[in-house]
Amino acid sequence: MGTLTLKRFNGIEQFRLVNSNAFAVRNDDGTIMLWFETETDPAAIMSVEDTAELSMNPDAEITLILEHLALKEFKALSYELINGYNPETRSLDARLYYFEHEAVNENTVELEYRDKGVFYLKWAGRTTDISYYDGSKPDTILEVEGEFILKDYEKWN
């Protein structure tokens, strides 16, 4: 299905994606809000010393705004989202949850539609280190790569 990787100051943590879904909603202005959310297996593929025994299963979510969504016509796209926090909606458009919800900034997304409601997502961004929320450590690089199932995809076909 895929992986969620955290490149931290003290090493790499990696988790298997166990539940990866996509959702699409038409906004009042006619644009499409397409978001991807995932949960991970608490048994890490790779871990580092300060979190190895915690059995955490981080999850992540990113929201993209598209002009339209027609799956039969969908072309691979690249998308950038500079700020994870959206002050207009007062919500996190890109976030990581480990111990707390944190905005993910400087996001790049590569997205392709495979078929039958399956998207392949490759997402990278930067966030505050998951064990040191005071900014005393360098940012953590988040990388999510894998397949996501679009709920109610028949509606967008």
Side-chain angles (χ1 to χ4, degrees), residues 11 21 23-24 27 30 39 42 47 56 59 61 65 72 82 86-87 100 103-104 110 120 122 127 142 149 154:
N21 294 304
F23 303 88
N27 293 321
E39 294 178 20
S47 194
M56 292 299 292
D59 60 68
E61 182 177 324
I65 302 297
K72 290 179 182 175
I82 301 303
N86 183 335
E100 295 182 23
V104 179
E110 294 176 24
Y120 181 78
K122 187 174 181 182
T127 190
L142 166 70
I149 307 300
E154 298 87 3

Side-chain angles (χ1 to χ4, degrees), residues 59 92 95-103 127 133:
D59 60 68
L92 293 172
R95 64 139 184 98
L96 170 69
Y97 177 79
Y98 200 102
F99 296 115
E100 295 182 23
H101 288 96
E102 279 296 315
T127 190
Y133 290 99

